[in-house]
Amino acid sequence: MIKDKKQLEYYMECDRVALGVKRKKPKLIGDEIWKFERLMRRLDYARTTNNRFYELILKLKYRNLGMKLGFSIPCNVFGPGLAIVHYGNIVVSSDASVGENCRIHSGVNIGANAGESKAATIGNNVYIGPGAKIIGNVRIGNNVCIGANAVIVKNVEPGITVGGIPARKISSNDSSKHLNKATEMVKMK
């Protein structure tokens, strides 16, 4: 949860760097994914300020833009340095927890297993390829690369690449060449 204005600025700057954007503000027309991420961070912060009217306005904007882009992503799930690569269906459970520097593609589903309420805990520096499904209360280690259309139903050790249905180790390569480690590039003020 984003607790103060400094932390909000840090999260938003990390997201900008993770997306590889050079500008400081989104364009008036375009940059919808970046606008969505900024709304998500502002809404997370607004929940700590007790300004219910501001929170309601942000929630409506966030919901509408999420529907337009095909995202069902709750606040307070992703750490700083989130990079949503394309718009298209992305569904994330509010019970999931994702660390810093996550790069996520379209068609991804991170959810609970039938009858369970707990969802995945995903480490730092994780690349999630297009169409990947992460199902149930699984743990994914740091520096993991999840291949396109992989279905993860078991824990994944750190620093490897997984793929397939069900997902299994396919390489000892980590995620470092697939994402920007924004939290290492941005210093909190």
Side-chain angles (χ1 to χ4, degrees), residues 26-133:
K27 294 183 224 172
L28 185 61
I29 298 172
D31 290 334
E32 277 76 21
I33 293 173
W34 188 19
K35 289 175 186 174
F36 177 84
E37 289 187 28
R38 289 170 58 94
L39 275 170
M40 178 175 65
R41 302 306 188 185
R42 283 192 179 112
L43 179 56
D44 190 16
Y45 172 65
R47 290 181 172 168
T48 64
T49 63
N50 291 326
N51 185 340
R52 298 296 173 220
F53 181 71
Y54 181 60
E55 182 183 343
L56 178 63
I57 297 298
L58 288 175
K59 193 181 287 188
L60 289 171
K61 285 182 170 184
Y62 182 71
R63 182 181 159 277
N64 289 340
L65 186 54
M67 287 174 55
K68 176 182 174 184
L69 298 173
F71 301 158
S72 178
I73 302 174
C75 289
N76 201 23
V77 170
F78 288 91
L82 172 63
I84 300 172
V85 182
H86 303 284
Y87 44 88
N89 289 341
I90 297 176
V91 179
V92 179
S93 169
S94 60
D95 294 315
S97 174
V98 183
E100 302 173 348
N101 306 318
C102 178
R103 185 170 179 90
I104 187 169
H105 285 264
S106 62
V108 171
N109 188 326
I110 303 171
N113 203 354
E116 287 185 17
S117 63
K118 292 189 177 183
T121 301
I122 300 172
N124 298 331
N125 309 314
V126 175
Y127 170 88
I128 305 173
K133 310 297 182 238

Side-chain angles (χ1 to χ4, degrees), residues 140-158:
I140 298 173
N142 295 334
N143 306 306
V144 169
C145 185
I146 300 170
N149 296 317
V151 177
I152 296 179
V153 292
K154 294 181 180 176
N155 294 345
V156 176
E157 65 184 273

Side-chain angles (χ1 to χ4, degrees), residues 127 129 132 143-152 155-175 177-178:
Y127 170 88
N143 306 306
V144 169
C145 185
I146 300 170
N149 296 317
V151 177
I152 296 179
N155 294 345
V156 176
E157 65 184 273
I160 64 170
T161 298
V162 295
I165 303 172
R168 64 188 183 289
K169 179 179 177 179
I170 58 174
S171 168
S172 293
N173 296 332
D174 66 9
S175 62
K177 67 180 180 181
H178 297 289

